[in-house]
Amino acid sequence: MRDTSTSENEKNHARPAECATDGLSHSLVNRYAQIRAATEALAAPLSAEDQTIQSMPNASPTKCHRAHTSWFFETFLLTPHASGYTPFDERYGYLFNSYYEAAGARHPRAARGMLTRPGVEDVTAYRAYVDEAMSRFIPQCDVSLLPLVTLGLHHEQQHQELLLTDIKHAFSLNPLAPVYCARGKKPPANVSAPPLEWFTLPRGVHTIGHTGDGFAFDNEGPAHQTFIHEARIATRPVSIGEYLDFVNDGGYQRAEFWLAEGWDLIQREGWQAPAYWQQRDGLWESYTLHGMQLLREDEPVIHVSYYEAAAYAAWAGKRLPTEAEWEVAARHHATANARRAEQNPHPRPLAPGFTQDAWEWTGSAYLPYPRFQPAPGAVGEYNGKFMVNQMVLRGRSCATPPGHERLTYRNFFGPAARWQFSGFRLAEDA
Amino acid sequence: MRDTSTSENEKNHARPAECATDGLSHSLVNRYAQIRAATEALAAPLSAEDQTIQSMPNASPTKCHRAHTSWFFETFLLTPHASGYTPFDERYGYLFNSYYEAAGARHPRAARGMLTRPGVEDVTAYRAYVDEAMSRFIPQCDVSLLPLVTLGLHHEQQHQELLLTDIKHAFSLNPLAPVYCARGKKPPANVSAPPLEWFTLPRGVHTIGHTGDGFAFDNEGPAHQTFIHEARIATRPVSIGEYLDFVNDGGYQRAEFWLAEGWDLIQREGWQAPAYWQQRDGLWESYTLHGMQLLREDEPVIHVSYYEAAAYAAWAGKRLPTEAEWEVAARHHATANARRAEQNPHPRPLAPGFTQDAWEWTGSAYLPYPRFQPAPGAVGEYNGKFMVNQMVLRGRSCATPPGHERLTYRNFFGPAARWQFSGFRLAEDA
Amino acid sequence: MRDTSTSENEKNHARPAECATDGLSHSLVNRYAQIRAATEALAAPLSAEDQTIQSMPNASPTKCHRAHTSWFFETFLLTPHASGYTPFDERYGYLFNSYYEAAGARHPRAARGMLTRPGVEDVTAYRAYVDEAMSRFIPQCDVSLLPLVTLGLHHEQQHQELLLTDIKHAFSLNPLAPVYCARGKKPPANVSAPPLEWFTLPRGVHTIGHTGDGFAFDNEGPAHQTFIHEARIATRPVSIGEYLDFVNDGGYQRAEFWLAEGWDLIQREGWQAPAYWQQRDGLWESYTLHGMQLLREDEPVIHVSYYEAAAYAAWAGKRLPTEAEWEVAARHHATANARRAEQNPHPRPLAPGFTQDAWEWTGSAYLPYPRFQPAPGAVGEYNGKFMVNQMVLRGRSCATPPGHERLTYRNFFGPAARWQFSGFRLAEDA
Amino acid sequence: MRDTSTSENEKNHARPAECATDGLSHSLVNRYAQIRAATEALAAPLSAEDQTIQSMPNASPTKCHRAHTSWFFETFLLTPHASGYTPFDERYGYLFNSYYEAAGARHPRAARGMLTRPGVEDVTAYRAYVDEAMSRFIPQCDVSLLPLVTLGLHHEQQHQELLLTDIKHAFSLNPLAPVYCARGKKPPANVSAPPLEWFTLPRGVHTIGHTGDGFAFDNEGPAHQTFIHEARIATRPVSIGEYLDFVNDGGYQRAEFWLAEGWDLIQREGWQAPAYWQQRDGLWESYTLHGMQLLREDEPVIHVSYYEAAAYAAWAGKRLPTEAEWEVAARHHATANARRAEQNPHPRPLAPGFTQDAWEWTGSAYLPYPRFQPAPGAVGEYNGKFMVNQMVLRGRSCATPPGHERLTYRNFFGPAARWQFSGFRLAEDA
């Protein structure tokens, strides 16, 4: 699963797109500055204490997200390619390498929360040091290295989302239910989500996977043909209100809906509802980055595992879509709605009206696409090394940085994971 | 994974084939008698002590295999459909139900090795009691029930193979290396396996899955179209001699070949070779049902996990075939070699010259085929409930009962399992 | 703790008493025969299956008790001292050495339940082989070895009790509640135990520990002086009826009575009553070697851990006696009642009227007596090696072989153990 | 064991000495201010990050030590007795109650490292708030409460030592080996410790336990008579040089010296030397609060478990002293050396020349003294609740606050604990 702490997103690294010009260098300097600043902005509400702890082996301290993303630029660009560059601290290579075996020995993942030093201020200095060097390096480096800079930025954006899901998990363990950023206590929605509509997928050979010139992780390609059987796919994810019907219908007590592993898990762990949900005085609340909030029935359900998604689908007499079905439908939707999107004051470019603020579990295992080839070297060393025991998620969540999303994006986690913003939509055979 | 002790094979149950006539009844009585006797023959070399223990949660005592397969006939045929039938012992339903939630409460799987009573003789009496009732039931029952009898027999054949793999695992823990059935200590083979040949798969839409009138488990269908990309597939599995090259080349010490989960596993467990291998005085031996035996280089490697299969493939610069590739190639081979097979004095009908005595890991996750529908009722209740975190194996092993094998057969286990007779073959993109 | 499977009783081995004469040899031959036969009689109701399993790491299969006690005679007497003796099977030394490091490598304790071979009949043959050799050896051996024979017999008697407690534990896990030996279903006693009486211990220096010529384990000596403070000690153990008052008063739900470790344990394990108790239709039953039986209020409570004994004492406003207090009181009682005991048709010689059928937890940790010296060699190698994290129990239980009990006997187990026949009595400061 | 995180020292609470006068109030105000300031001085070198983490369940974050000791004064003095006092934050009672069941629900001990909020500054404010209130409360409170203030101060001093041992453990997990306070890298001592001398204990009844008017924890009393057998006790603890002889003699590889539990532990954990020791380039170093330091052979060995202490003693042909032997010898030494101590420029009052900078494991289990009575109420609720599975340590370490030590002091930990400054001395029977 994408169970991999600081590093989990590197798994998608990247036969990055090809060439670059001076204009690209210039815009890349700006983009570098923006994305690096965005990380710092996300960490800004967090105290030194907040940034230090590790709430489970699969999560990472905020501080490590901030340092590891810097380590990436230092290790793969500055140290080998920037003449005269001196690493900020020789020991950081050991501390902040998440999983690149080829890049040398590593501090054990599960012990990352024991690193009180280097402290938060040291990490801030580290980032500044790397940023200063990168701002000089990008304009003058060989253009062949610019794709690696781009990769480092996408890598950093992945960690931005993980920073949020990890701190949410950590805060959820604090009985004080800390507020990461304020928002008023919202009332429960009396309105339901709009009625489910179904999009029909035409039977036949379709092409999926990344084809364009833009950036994509290597696991999104090669584009290839696949056979799709006639089916219908919902045009929006399952809502909290709909999921509550499952909960209230005894969904967590009825073995017949569950994969055997899932049933064992919820028995053992005592799961009765999605992660972070609590019932108080008859009302359902959820821990959120705004603190405890009443549930809104019209929002997409999130923080469910694959097991829960599959159980809901069985209860509903449906199934989860495959990732191919999802991509074909989303692409159709994206095209059709392109004009509508232009009129949206806050457009999010990913299939507006189709996706919502939730990653969506698909029924597809995370496996290499036909003719997939791992990229050479440490950066690409492990492109495929997570391709077992994980399921693919598609879409984007409320925490996905704008511009990071793609219709071909393959997110992936183990079926038990639910600390991500993970929901799902339904499909059925036609 | 197919990690499920006594019961693991029920996972494949079965929209069994349709109708039956008197002739079918008659031949079914015979077939019933033969298959039930085959189980007893497999258990015959095992003492009461041997038949009692459970060597790991995923394995079952011999005694439970023998009882559970009888329970199947009693529960799904005799009790509901044989007028006047009295269950042998009311309490056996609780003790020998492996995982059918719809069939009531169950004894915990991992505690099955604590059931010294009923004893082996009680189980023998139970089997005789059920057999006697079945021999009267089959000829006179409604023909609509005959497919369920057939299903029960295939179910029993699955347990025959598990009986052997489970007792092999149990015996392997005994420092005396007990001999299940004798064979002379064989010398190591100086001869290598025949050179690898490659079969080219034509690009395009192919049909896979069960179509004929014969029996198949429901997970083998429906037959459906799938797109295959141009590729080559080896015409035999990887041999022990070839696998030894990987071992001797430091395969278990080089992270770059391994899936991340696999690498963690072999570090944690200290794996240095396939299960049951031991090096003594510079020679490799393996625990077998004949006791400790020197390795023969020309035989297919078995008792490897998916992780090891995938690591070997990466080391060899190849990959594992998908199950669709495997099935298309095996079907081609089976047809082409049909005549040659006729001349073979001991024909094994499954693609002779293509398959050997090893189940073969494929690169496909165990997921439902398009338009798969679970069968209704307890028998089919859980057809799909194991469809997560497992990989598909194809072929047949030395322990697969003759007649039980099929080109469309989908065996499945978790990627860490290696107590089955599991090997693999290679494929590569063309 | 005395948590040590087959071997746990060897912990008490033994500077056995000194010399021996022909008469002693003769009586020892008889005694050997009787005690060895008693073991076989205890195993007789158990099937091959029953004798094979190991229900927890601290328990041993019946078969191993039978073999290990034979191994003792073979290893420490026959092999080194009987000229021309050939071991029954060279490999048994590895298999049935429970913990003597000096006697060589050992099969791992927790894997003892995986040894289906040698089988029960092999063990029977092993015992006969050793017995035959011993019957010739004892009359002719050097008298200096007779104490070692005596030690082996006491060792065997310890295993007799363990054989019963271990099979009781194993059977308790079987939902069929097997009957080891029949007895009618008894009604719950309406009668209470006789009222508690208190014996006053005089303040001052007392001597405890083994002094006589008879056999004793080395941990029972040397006899030594100890200071006892004025106190009162109950003249019988706590009864089931009295313990039920504690249970019914919420004893298992009130932290204030419990040692912190005990409270953690009962929360974690969900203990609500002594081991083997079950409430059915409002009545308390207990699994016993006679099957499920209604509780009798007048019997001593057994199958409680030290934590439960200490919690009861706190609830009752009392404490547990020290082992010195227990021994002084029991000795007084034994002397005073000696005459009464003579008139008892079924005398049990250990302080009749004071002890009952329960080992009794004391408030004393199991530590060496002053000036204790471990015996030299393998037999005595580990006399003191269990002297940490264990509490002393005094008395004898229903399963203690007659003649094995002693006023100075120091039984010991970890504070969480409760599969022994362990109860307790109260004391208070005067 | 004294394995209990923030709270472990409360275990000793306290029938504190009786009355108080105005002078006492006055001096208590000063003493309160000094001790509270000492805690803050110990925390001063630690960053917010350092103060937040919990390196194992038995350790506590620095922040929690600071908060919990404040909670003690707030909960047992200010809230019930200071009129008009408003708790700093109602939720702190839940967060910082370490184990007092009677004081209400508690945050789980093992999750204490997840509390990033309240932050370090919040805790500083909390301490200031409590201190301000206490400075007004002490002079005007009922004199009957002053012993409780004194108890709170001794409680705080215990946490001062724990603060140091806990942060040492946490820092030891950091590959950067952080320096808590600087000291030059010291060379290994070429000089050995002074030769061992032996003090002879006279046989007979001795009195041990606290008798005077000064403060003592309740477990130090009542003073009582005990019988001591003739023995000799070393006049100083075992030195590092001496312990190295044991290590170099294969002490960690020879089962014959070890308690069975200890042997299992060192095999399982791979212990080869005391905690924090590392061999580099043939030289032994140790992690210390000054960073990595070469070992000095003349210093007392510390960071050994009871198992290691007992194994060393067995190797040396000696034993550990009982706590009674230790106390009698130390008292004799303290008296005899009183004059010499006066001439010492840096006197440490505890038996100078006898004790060194190490707590010393004794061979005595931590059990109640005869006629011990737990104090009533929450403060004393759990005086005896840790009295199982722990061994007594005597003396004082380099981290024991001056004035906190006493000849009757009973420190206690489980036999596996070695993150304390724990060494030992030898004894032998005379």
Side-chain angles (χ1 to χ4, degrees), chain B residues 212-261:
Chain B
D213 292 336
F215 174 84
F217 291 114
D218 63 354
N219 64 9
E220 298 171 48
H224 63 281
Q225 291 176 289
T226 189
F227 197 96
I228 290 185
H229 298 265
E230 200 168 1
R232 283 184 289 271
I233 184 169
T235 56
R236 64 161 174 78
V238 170
S239 71
I240 284 177
E242 289 159 347
Y243 198 84
L244 269 171
D245 291 342
F246 169 64
V247 172
N248 293 332
D249 195 36
Y252 283 78
Q253 285 78 49
R254 295 166 63 184
E256 65 263 36
F257 305 131
W258 294 80
L259 288 161
E261 279 189 13

Side-chain angles (χ1 to χ4, degrees), chain D residues 132-421:
Chain D
E132 195 275 337
M134 284 296 292
S135 71
R136 281 183 287 112
F137 176 76
I138 296 173
Q140 68 186 44
C141 77
D142 191 280
V143 294
S144 70
L145 294 170
L146 295 182
L148 204 47
V149 177
T150 299
L151 175 60
L153 293 175
H154 282 272
H155 170 245
E156 180 129 0
Q157 286 182 305
Q158 291 184 308
H159 278 277
Q160 288 169 3
E161 179 153 4
L162 292 169
L163 185 158
L164 290 173
T165 54
D166 288 354
I167 198 68
K168 182 172 183 177
H169 184 264
F171 275 174
S172 77
L173 302 177
N174 190 325
L176 306 186
V179 171
Y180 169 79
C181 57
R183 187 174 73 176
K185 189 122 179 171
K186 63 180 172 181
N190 295 323
V191 294
S192 301
L196 264 188
E197 293 177 18
W198 298 88
F199 173 75
T200 299
L201 287 156
R203 183 172 185 281
V205 175
H206 293 252
T207 296
I208 66 164
H210 184 73
T211 48
D213 293 336
F215 173 85
F217 290 112
D218 62 356
N219 63 9
E220 299 171 48
H224 62 281
Q225 290 176 291
T226 189
F227 196 95
I228 288 185
H229 298 265
E230 200 167 1
R232 284 185 288 271
I233 185 169
T235 56
R236 63 161 173 78
V238 168
S239 71
I240 283 177
E242 289 160 347
Y243 198 85
L244 269 170
D245 290 342
F246 170 64
V247 172
N248 293 332
D249 194 35
Y252 283 77
Q253 286 78 47
R254 295 167 63 184
E256 66 262 37
F257 304 131
W258 294 81
L259 288 160
E261 279 188 13
W263 183 246
D264 285 351
L265 176 68
I266 69 169
Q267 302 285 106
R268 197 169 60 241
E269 300 288 331
W271 290 3
Q272 301 286 337
Y276 307 145
W277 286 28
Q278 287 179 25
Q279 209 166 10
R280 186 153 48 173
D281 304 330
L283 289 178
W284 281 103
E285 297 181 333
S286 174
Y287 176 71
T288 75
L289 290 169
H290 311 297
M292 293 306 299
Q293 297 278 326
L294 288 165
L295 292 181
R296 282 187 65 97
E297 298 195 354
D298 56 335
E299 292 185 346
V301 67
I302 52 173
H303 294 303
V304 293
S305 64
Y306 175 78
Y307 299 120
E308 290 161 297
Y312 178 94
W315 170 81
K318 311 291 185 192
R319 60 172 174 83
L320 302 180
T322 65
E323 64 170 326
E325 290 170 338
W326 193 98
E327 185 171 325
V328 168
R331 196 183 301 274
H332 173 272
H333 223 77
T335 311
N337 293 344
R339 215 177 46 190
R340 241 182 298 163
E342 284 169 21
Q343 297 152 0
N344 189 331
H346 298 300
R348 298 213 59 169
L350 189 65
F354 184 80
T355 59
Q356 294 183 3
D357 284 347
W359 286 102
E360 302 174 26
W361 289 108
T362 70
S364 298
Y366 178 56
L367 291 171
Y369 278 168
R371 316 184 79 77
F372 168 77
Q373 290 294 336
V379 163
E381 173 193 345
Y382 297 126
N383 290 305
K385 79 190 271 187
F386 300 102
M387 289 180 172
V388 68
N389 279 353
Q390 321 243 7
M391 301 305 288
V392 171
L393 300 98
R394 294 299 195 103
R396 60 137 181 91
S397 83
C398 58
T400 309
H404 185 63
E405 59 221 20
R406 262 185 314 284
L407 287 174
T408 57
Y409 201 107
R410 305 177 80 198
N411 201 348
F412 55 92
F413 282 92
R418 57 182 203 167
W419 90 107
Q420 297 300 308
F421 296 103

Side-chain angles (χ1 to χ4, degrees), chain C residues 151-182:
Chain C
L151 175 60
L153 293 175
H154 283 273
H155 171 245
E156 179 129 0
Q157 288 182 303
Q158 291 185 307
H159 279 278
Q160 288 168 2
E161 178 153 2
L162 292 169
L163 185 157
L164 290 173
T165 53
D166 288 355
I167 198 68
K168 181 171 182 178
H169 185 263
F171 275 174
S172 78
L173 302 178
N174 189 324
L176 306 187
V179 171
Y180 169 79
C181 57

Side-chain angles (χ1 to χ4, degrees), chain C residues 4-8 10 60 64 68 71 95-100 106-107 109 112 159:
Chain C
T4 53
S5 54
T6 285
S7 53
E8 65 229 319
E10 288 89 333
S60 280
C64 290
H68 166 72
W71 169 91
L95 294 177
F96 297 122
N97 174 6
S98 294
Y99 67 80
Y100 297 85
R106 290 166 294 137
H107 186 65
R109 177 202 298 172
R112 220 167 271 156
H159 279 278

